[in-house]
């Protein structure tokens, strides 16, 4: 219950209540809206319900019994249930928008001037319809699928546009030559009234004109001819009688002849058959000749009819004539629709077309209406499961050709032509062809593959392994026409990369090792080798691979007494005196380790067979003994080997530290004992090494059978294993090959290695394309043999010994002989007899004679093939041109008529210019006796005509063509266009067209002037020249001797590019380009080498003691460091000057009794990080103890704090910037390497040897090399020139042929840019333009009457022109237009005669239509409002008699819509004032003067006369419409502001210089006037009038005062500046020129 109450409450709140008309005692019935249509089935069987309830008068719901039940409405009804499939059956129908109605504005005031228009609203009808039956349905059905479209929309009512007319023409001549007449002038409508604008004014004005008085009485009556009646047939009874009479006559003739001859009978039979055939053909033209009549009346000048007797005339007009009964075109019913042209299923364009036709049953005769269309097309789609999908086409490409670098080289590059030595970035090409994509044409490839596999399986034996080939899955379909493929064309060019070979780099040689056995595990004999080695620092790539192209890495010297292990002295112990004494002779024991032949420390047991070093004898000095220093280290060996002239020596030395005492001490030895020499490198200078040759070709290894063919080698699939061999020989350095025993056998390089064979690739081609089509069934005038061709495309080139492409890629064959072209022609038969108007119609006409006079005759026409065979009439309609005339006027001569023979042909011309040719005719029959027939003026018997002159002159027309190179094929490999391969420059020719004219200036064929149509002139297309640079200079020295620096090389500009050559790289201010690369110098490459200190030379000698303070020196040299130690002396600048040791120092020579200590040892290392709280120290050892009286030994330890960057340093790695992208010397572009260097940098910023950082174990995780790319300089590649296009004009002087080319590869980088000329034009040979052209209409001619319906005629003529708009054509013989279809102004139907009306004297009539106006559109401020364009023409009324004005017709106006209209503006124009008036008119923006169009409220004044007029002497009316005084007079005004009088201004007399007698020069305000008191004119009077008529100063007085004030300020300023003291000039700073630095910006060009 609660729920029901809530439901009812909801309905009450949601649905609007509707009051029933009947109210009960307590309530009223209310109901809600209808609910949704429900039902089981779609359509009209649904049911919808609504709520109905009883409401109390106070508003709440009550019981139903409280309302009248009889008035209770139904709560359910039938409805239409809408389903989704109804969408195809129902749709909205949109009615047209009605006229735009103005919206009622709140403010009813309208602006004076309309700017854009008035806002409005327009509505339309929208109904829901059932499409099949086209009947309306309920809107709810359509709303189910789509909302109801808008019923109304805003619109614009443009401003009213009044009618606009042109200016009047000039007045016509007077309508009468004597007496009083009328003359008129007319104008035409330029723009019609639109959008409620006012109508057009009268287009005609007339005025009375008077001529001389008439001598004769004016004619009051005119003979008027009425229009011809419609053509009607004679009475049927008359026709029957005529037929009967004709048949009786024929029977009588047949009886009289009595023909029995069989040949004659056969001829008659053939003729009858032919006539019957003609009648069948003529069924298309049912020609019936009837007659028509007209009325002839006499009218007076008021237009009223009068008796014919008033129109006195000898011969009255004909009132009857023969005519052709008009027949409308009749066509058959439509044929069945043809099958759909699209016989397959195509997703892209599913629609095809189907056609139905009908044929003409009856051709129109005398009807203006053309036959309707005989063919109808409509789109269609093929349906059904059996419809196959349409062929689809797609692009395919061949394999890329090999990568080539030479197209990227510039013109000057010396590497051009040497393709094998190049690497890096290159280009490769491929061909593109079109194939059918949904056609599986791989069967030939599959069979080919199966055949090859079976072939190889049958030949595979154990003795010879097969040369395997890889199966390539290539989709190969036959190529089709390129036009079949749409979509983007794949690239035919791409960049590629040839890997550059990396050259082998090796380290320096190591030092020579000891004499060792060849193999320490097999120690045989006493022969050994000393070895030195080097290692590969950069592995090579490319070439033969491996280490085959590296130099030898090991050299050997034979030696005697080899050993694999030996003792090596590490340190010499202290000198131990013998017998435990404190000083005196003793020995030093050496600390030794056991080393192998490579210098590596090994177990001491291995040296058990080696000679152990014996202790070294030494001497520990006693007090007062001579003290010597320790021996220095042995120097580097002076020679690397020993020979006859060279012997290696080493030197060591020692010096005297203290002299002996005089008493008892051991004295110092002489100087020779202070130096020792020993031999070194005693081995002979005969060095041997193994030398390897290059690896040979990979030959298949038959011993390996089961090899995995999926292995790859250098990135390419390999199919079998092979073997490579090389030659290895023993070589003596600087001598040549020696026996192999001289080289260590165990170190001989390998001579054989395995290799992988690349897969064999056979040539693969597509199947042949279809044969090209032969010419159509026939072609006139072409007798040459036609050929058809087919081609195929190589999609995989042979490689690695695969099968070559031997089959031809192109085939052609001759086409079958085409059929002879069948042409058609109209055959005309004899004219039938002339058919006259029936005598029953003629006999009432005065002067009519039976059986003669004008008539009309018809003839039959049939269609024939060129060979005379019969053809269907429709063939001639299509192919034989216009239908010949079926009827013509004819004349049966009467007794009084003149009769002549036909005109003869014109006589021949003798070829001379100015000669004439004639044709003749003669009088025949009784006409010879008639005088009127002998009148040669009326009936000429001879006609003359000038002969054509054959004088021609040629002259050039138009501009020169582009320079065109001779056409010819350039052979290129698979489309590869290397730079310079295609000839795009050199000598060509340019062309100018030649036109040929005859002596009358008419254009004729160029062959008449013996010209082939062109002037040729040689021309040059300059060849592009690239930027030319010099070769690279040598690299500079590395900028740093230790660590990382840079080295530079440069090129300089030799020649700038021109004519579109390659541009130059970025150059500096001296036209140079640089390349900067990092370099690294070994820090120990050059070292300072010191000799031992000399003996301390005492400065203050104590002769007794030989001791004291002094100076000692030593030699310091810069030497090159090698693996064997410092060797050669070099310039000192190569060593670091900061590291140079001291060459001299102060010293102290101990006295004999003093203590002697050794040299200071090395400083200990500071602990890192550097800190002054930490110390380093060095120590010295006492060598000689002091005597009793001598000086004791000092403290032999020195300490010093560790100071940063003085004696203690931090070390860290530093990475340089990346270098430019470096390419191989053989590369132009492509992949390169950027490098950077690693330095060890001391904390004071100095680069040091890397070992300092390596000893600290610092991290170094930087990448030193990275790949980079140098953009390739790709030249612009162009397609071939297209064939020359058809001529742009079929005839004339301005025709051009065009050919184009496209960019197939845009230029990149510094490549040669694309030329601007992508299109070339060439003039076409000049051809005359022949066309048919109408002549002017003749005046309206009314035969034998003054007015009424007449005819006017015009001719057509053949004209020739040059095709330009300026040449309107010159008439030529009609034979030139015989091949041209007779179409004039786009209409095939030529109208050479038409009816016209000649007004009678006194008639009021309409002029001819004016020309159509220009197309004009409705605009606001130059913006189109979208109402479309409109054109107008009009007819003005001409009045001949004033009394007949009431009979005048209305002037006429006709409009039509048009496209391509223009916006026109109208503005007022005004002439200069003439006195108080001027002319004001309205002008359109194109310069036409019009009436209307300009806004009246803006019209300028045309009159400016003063009111009241200026009557005072010397006054005039000014532009401001006020009275002013003439020059020289001043105005005196009255109190009300009007001019009262003009008073003369007093004269200011200025004496002139040239007049010594005091002549006066007088001036007035504006214009000088001669002085009245100076008649000679030597002086002039000027009047200065500073005050105006109102008593105020005039404006010029203020101007003069302001100018004087400015001049005064200027003079004061100049005086001030002249008197002012100048300041002392400041000293100019002497700015030093900054040094010019070359900053490397990282550009790739550097």
């Amino acid at each position: 219950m609660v729920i029901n109450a809530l439901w009812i409450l909801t309905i009450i709140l949601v649905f609007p209540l509707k009051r029933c008309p009947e109210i009960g005692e307590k309530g009223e019935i209310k109901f809600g809206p209808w609910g949704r249509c429900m039902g089981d089935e779609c359509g009209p069987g649904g049911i919808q319900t609504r709520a109905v309830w009883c409401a109390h008068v106070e508003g709440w719901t009550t019981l139903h019994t409280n309302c009248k039940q009889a008035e209770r409405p139904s709560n359910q009804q039938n409805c239409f249930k809408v389903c989704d499939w109804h969408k195809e059956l129902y749709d909205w129908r949109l009615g047209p928008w009605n006229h735009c109605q103005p919206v009622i504005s709140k403010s009813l005031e309208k602006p004076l001037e309309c700017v854009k228009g008035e806002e409005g609203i327009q509505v339309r009808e929208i109904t829901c319809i059932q499409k099949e039956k086209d009947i309306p349905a309920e809107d709810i059905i359509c709303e189910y699928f789509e909302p109801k479209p808008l019923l109304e929309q805003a619109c614009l009512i443009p401003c009213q546009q009044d009618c606009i007319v042109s200016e009047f023409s000039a007045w016509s001549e007077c309508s009468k030559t004597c007496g009083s007449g009328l003359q008129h002038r007319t104008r035409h409508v330029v723009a019609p009234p639109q959008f409620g604008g006012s109508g057009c004014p009268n287009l005609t004005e007339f005025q009375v004109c008077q001529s001389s008085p008439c001598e004769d009485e004016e004619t009051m009556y005119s003979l008027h001819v009425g229009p011809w009646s419609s053509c009607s047939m004679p009475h049927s009874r008359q026709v029957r009688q005529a037929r009967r009479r004709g048949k009786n006559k024929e029977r009588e003739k047949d009886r009289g002849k009595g023909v029995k001859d069989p040949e004659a009978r056969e001829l008659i039979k053939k003729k009858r058959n032919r006539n019957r055939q003609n009648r069948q053909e003529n069924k298309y033209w049912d020609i019936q000749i009837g007659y028509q009549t007209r009325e002839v009346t006499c009218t007076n000048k008021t237009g009223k009819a009068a008796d014919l007797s008033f129109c006195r005339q000898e011969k009255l007009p004909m009132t009857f004539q023969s005519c052709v009964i008009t027949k409308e075109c009749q066509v058959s019913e439509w044929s069945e629709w043809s099958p759909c042209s699209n016989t397959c299923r195509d997703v892209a364009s599913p629609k095809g077309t189907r056609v139905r036709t009908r044929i003409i049953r009856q051709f129109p005769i005398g009807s203006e209406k053309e036959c309707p269309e005989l063919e109808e097309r409509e789109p269609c789609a093929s349906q059904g499961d059996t419809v196959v999908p349409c062929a689809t086409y797609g692009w395919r490409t061949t394999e890329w050709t090999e990568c080539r670098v030479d197209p990227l080289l510039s013109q000057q590059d010396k590497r051009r032509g040497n393709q094998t030595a190049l690497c890096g970035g290159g280009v490769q090409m491929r061909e593109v062809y079109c194939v059918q994509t949904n056609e599986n044409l791989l069967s030939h490839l599959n069979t080919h593959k199966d055949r090859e596999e079976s072939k190889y399986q049958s030949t595979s034996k154990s003795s010879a392994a097969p040369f395997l080939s890889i199966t390539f899955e290539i989709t190969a379909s036959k190529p089709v026409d390129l036009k079949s493929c749409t979509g983007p064309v794949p690239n035919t060019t791409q960049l590629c990369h040839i890997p550059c070979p990396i050259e082998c780099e090796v380290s320096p040689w190591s030092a020579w090792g000891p004499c060792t056995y060849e193999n320490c595990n097999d120690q045989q004999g006493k022969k050994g080798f000393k070895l030195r080695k080097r290692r590969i620092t950069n592995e090579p790539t490319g070439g033969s691979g491996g280490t085959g192209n590296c130099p030898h890495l090991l050299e050997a010297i034979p030696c005697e007494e080899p050993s694999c292990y030996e003792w090596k002295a590490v340190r010499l112990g202290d000198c131990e005196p013998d017998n435990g004494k404190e000083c005196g002779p003793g020995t030093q024991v050496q600390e030794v380790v056991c080393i192998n032949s490579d210098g590596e420390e090994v177990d001491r047991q291995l040296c058990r067979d080696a000679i152990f070093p014996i202790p070294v004898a030494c001497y520990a000095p006693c007090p007062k003994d001579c003290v010597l220093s320790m021996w220095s280290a042995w120097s580097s060996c002076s020679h690397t080997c020993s020979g006859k002239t060279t012997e290696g020596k080493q030197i060591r030395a020692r010096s005297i530290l203290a002299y002996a005492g005089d008493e008892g001490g051991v004295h110092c030895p002489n100087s020779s004992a202070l130096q020792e020499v020993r031999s070194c490198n005693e081995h002979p200078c005969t060095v041997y090494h193994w030398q390897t040759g290059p690896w040979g070709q990979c030959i298949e290894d038959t011993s390996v059978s089961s090899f995995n063919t999926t292995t790859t080698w250098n990135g390419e699939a390999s199919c079998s294993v092979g073997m490579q061999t090389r030659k290895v020989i023993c070589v003596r350095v600087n001598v040549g090959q020696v026996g192999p025993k001289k080289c260590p056998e165990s170190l001989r390089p390998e001579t054989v290695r395995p290799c992988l064979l690349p897969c064999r690739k056979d040539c693969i081609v597509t199947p042949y394309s279809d044969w090209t089509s032969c010419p159509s069934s026939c072609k006139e005038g072409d007798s040459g043999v036609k050929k058809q061709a087919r081609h195929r495309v190589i999609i995989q080139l042979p490689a690695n010994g695969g099968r070559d492409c031997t089959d031809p890629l192109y085939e052609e064959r001759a086409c079958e002989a085409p059929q002879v072209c069948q042409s058609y022609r109209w055959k005309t038969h004899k004219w039938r007899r002339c058919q006259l108007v029936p005598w029953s119609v003629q006999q009432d006409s005065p002067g009519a004679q039976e059986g003669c006079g004008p008539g009309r005759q018809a003839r039959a026409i049939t269609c024939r093939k060129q060979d005379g065979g019969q053809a269907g009439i429709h063939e001639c309609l299509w192919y034989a041109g216009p239908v010949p005339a079926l009827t013509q006027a004819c004349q049966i001569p009467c007794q009084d008529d003149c009769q002549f023979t036909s005109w003869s042909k014109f006589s021949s011309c003798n070829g001379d210019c100015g000669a004439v040719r004639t044709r003749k005719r003669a009088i025949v029959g009784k006409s010879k006796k008639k005088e009127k027939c002998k009148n040669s003026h009326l009936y000429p018997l001879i006609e003359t005509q000038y002969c054509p002159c054959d004088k021609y002159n040629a002259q050039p027309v138009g501009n020169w063509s582009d320079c065109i190179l001779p056409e010819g094929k350039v052979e290129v490999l698979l489309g590869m266009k290397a730079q310079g391969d295609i000839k795009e420059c050199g000598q060509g020719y340019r062309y100018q067209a030649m036109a040929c004219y005859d002596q009358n200036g008419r254009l004729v064929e160029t062959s008449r002037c013996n010209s082939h149509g062109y002037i040729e002139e040689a021309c040059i297309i300059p060849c592009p020249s690239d930027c030319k640079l010099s070769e690279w200079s040598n690299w500079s020295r590395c900028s740093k001797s230790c660590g990382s620096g840079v080295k530079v090389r440069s090129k300089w500009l030799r020649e700038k590019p021109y004519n579109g050559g390659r541009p130059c790289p970025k150059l500096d201010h001296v036209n140079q380009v640089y390349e900067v690369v990092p370099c690294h110098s070994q820090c120990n490459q050059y070292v300072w080498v010191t000799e031992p200190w000399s003996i301390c030379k005492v400065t203050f000698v104590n002769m007794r003691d030989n001791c004291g303070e002094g100076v000692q020196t030593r030699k310091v040299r810069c030497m090159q460091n090698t693996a064997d130690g410092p060797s050669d002396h070099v310039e000192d600048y190569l060593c670091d000057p900061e590291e140079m040791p001291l060459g001299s120092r102060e010293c102290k020579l101990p006295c004999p009794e003093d203590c002697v200590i050794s040299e200071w040892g090395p400083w200990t290392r500071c602990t890192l990080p550097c800190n002054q709280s930490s110390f380093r120290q060095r120590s010295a050892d006492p060598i000689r103890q002091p005597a009793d009286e001598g000086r004791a030994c000092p403290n032999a330890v020195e300490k010093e704090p560790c100071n940063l960057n003085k004696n203690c340093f931090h070390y860290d790695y530093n990475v340089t910037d990346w270098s430019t992208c470096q390419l191989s010397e053989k590369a132009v572009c492509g992949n390169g390497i950027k490098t950077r260097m690693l330095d060890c940098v001391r904390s004071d910023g100095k680069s040091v040897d890397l070992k300092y950082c390596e000893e600290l174990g610092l991290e170094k995780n930087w990448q030193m090399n990275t790949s980079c790319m140098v953009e390739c300089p790709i030249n612009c590649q162009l397609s071939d020139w297209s064939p020359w296009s058809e001529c742009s004009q079929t005839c004339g002087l301005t025709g051009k042929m065009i050919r184009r080319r496209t960019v197939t590869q845009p230029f990149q980088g510094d490549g040669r840019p694309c030329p601007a000329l992508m299109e070339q034009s060439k003039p076409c040979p000049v051809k005359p333009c022949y066309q048919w052209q109408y002549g002017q209409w003749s005046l309206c001619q009314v035969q034998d009457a003054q007015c009424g319906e007449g005819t006017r005629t015009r001719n057509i003529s053949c004209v020739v022109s040059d095709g330009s708009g300026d040449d309107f054509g010159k008439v030529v013989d009609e034979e030139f237009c015989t091949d041209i279809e007779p179409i004039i102004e786009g209409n095939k139907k030529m109208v050479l005669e038409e009816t016209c009306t000649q007004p009678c004297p006194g008639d009021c009539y309409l002029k001819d239509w004016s020309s159509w106006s220009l197309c004009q559109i409705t605009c606001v401020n130059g913006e189109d409002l979208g109402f479309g364009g409109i054109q107008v023409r009009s007819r003005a009324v001409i009045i001949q008699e004033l009394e007949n004005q009431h009979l005048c017709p209305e002037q006429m106006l006709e409009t039509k819509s048009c496209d391509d209209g223009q916006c026109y503006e109208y503005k007022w124009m005004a002439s200069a004032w003439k006195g108080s008036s001027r002319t004001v008119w309205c002008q359109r923006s194109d310069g036409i003067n019009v009436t209307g169009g300009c806004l009246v409220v803006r019209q300028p004044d045309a009159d400016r006369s003063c009111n009241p007029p200026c009557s005072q002497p010397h006054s005039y009316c000014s532009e401001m419409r006020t009275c002013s005084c003439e020059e020289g007079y001043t105005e005196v005004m009255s109190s009300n502001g009007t001019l009262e009088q003009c008073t003369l201004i007093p004269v200011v007399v200025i004496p002139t210089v040239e007049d010594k007698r005091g002549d006066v020069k007088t001036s007035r305000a504006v214009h000088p006037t001669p002085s009245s008191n100076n008649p000679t004119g030597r002086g002039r009077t000027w009047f200065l009038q500073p005050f105006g008529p109102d008593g105020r100063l005039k404006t010029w007085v203020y101007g003069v005062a302001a100018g004087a004030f400015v001049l005064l300020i200027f003079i004061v300023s100049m005086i001030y500046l002249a008197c002012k003291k100048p300041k002392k000039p400041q000293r100019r700073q002497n700015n030093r020129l900054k040094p010019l630095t070359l900053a490397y910006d990282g550009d790739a060009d550097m």
Side-chain angles (χ1 to χ4, degrees), residues 599-802:
E600 299 167 347
E601 187 175 346
V602 294
D603 188 4
R604 296 174 72 91
Q605 292 295 322
L606 295 174
C607 290
R608 59 183 177 272
D609 297 331
I611 301 171
F612 195 86
I614 58 173
V616 179
C618 62
Y619 183 84
C622 295
K624 296 187 180 180
D625 284 349
C626 174
V627 180
L628 300 177
S629 67
M630 298 288 288
W631 286 105
S632 68
W634 290 103
S635 68
S636 299
C637 195
S638 60
H639 292 91
T640 56
C641 57
S642 299
K644 292 180 180 179
T645 57
T646 58
E647 187 179 357
K649 297 290 182 184
Q650 284 179 295
I651 303 172
R652 67 174 181 175
R654 57 182 177 176
S655 60
I656 299 171
L657 295 181
Y659 286 99
D662 293 336
E663 300 173 0
V666 176
H667 289 279
C668 292
N670 56 20
S671 59
S672 61
L674 297 177
Q675 193 174 37
E676 278 187 358
V677 179
R678 72 175 183 184
S679 296
C680 61
N681 289 343
E682 296 176 5
H683 53 268
C685 296
T686 52
V687 180
Y688 301 92
H689 65 87
W690 291 109
Q691 181 173 302
T692 59
W695 287 106
Q697 192 174 356
C698 190
I699 301 170
E700 190 171 358
D701 187 3
T702 57
S703 61
V704 181
S705 58
S706 58
F707 184 72
N708 185 2
T709 59
T710 59
T711 310
T712 59
W713 180 270
N714 288 339
E716 290 187 7
S718 302
C719 293
S720 62
V721 69
M723 297 298 290
Q724 277 178 298
T725 59
R726 63 177 174 178
K727 190 177 181 182
V728 177
I729 57 172
C730 183
V731 173
R732 179 177 170 182
V733 176
N734 298 328
V735 175
Q737 183 177 356
V738 296
K741 292 184 179 179
K742 297 287 186 180
C743 293
E745 183 63 31
S746 61
L747 300 176
R748 179 200 287 262
E750 59 182 4
T751 58
V752 180
R753 72 173 181 184
C755 57
L756 295 177
L757 288 167
C759 296
R760 186 175 74 176
K761 289 166 71 176
D762 293 338
C763 172
I764 298 182
V765 294
T766 64
Y768 273 116
S769 65
D770 293 330
W771 289 103
T772 56
S773 58
C774 277
S776 58
S777 58
C778 67
K779 195 170 184 182
E780 292 183 21
D782 193 359
S783 59
V785 178
K786 295 295 180 184
K787 293 184 177 181
Q788 56 181 162
R790 63 177 184 173
H791 72 284
R792 51 185 175 181
V793 181
I794 298 175
I795 54 178
Q796 178 176 284
L797 288 167
N800 307 321

Side-chain angles (χ1 to χ4, degrees), residues 405-406 409 414-423 1226:
V405 180
D406 52 326
L409 300 175
K414 294 179 179 178
R415 298 173 291 179
R416 288 173 63 86
N418 186 10
Q419 170 67 9
T420 55
L422 299 174
C423 65
K1226 297 178 180 179

Side-chain angles (χ1 to χ4, degrees), residues 1493-1542:
C1494 296
L1495 292 172
V1496 179
V1497 294
R1498 293 189 180 181
Q1499 182 173 359
D1501 291 331
D1503 179 56
R1504 63 175 187 186
S1505 56
C1506 295
N1507 189 17
C1510 303
S1511 57
Q1512 294 81 2
H1514 305 291
S1515 67
Y1516 67 94
C1517 188
S1518 68
E1519 291 184 14
M1520 305 302 294
R1521 295 195 180 185
T1522 57
C1523 294
S1524 299
C1525 291
E1526 295 176 356
E1527 296 165 5
Y1529 293 86
T1530 186
E1531 293 91 354
V1532 178
M1533 312 299 290
S1534 65
S1535 58
N1536 60 358
T1538 58
L1539 181 68
E1540 197 167 279
Q1541 64 176 1
C1542 292

Side-chain angles (χ1 to χ4, degrees), residues 1206 1314 1567:
K1206 288 186 178 179
C1314 294
H1567 299 292

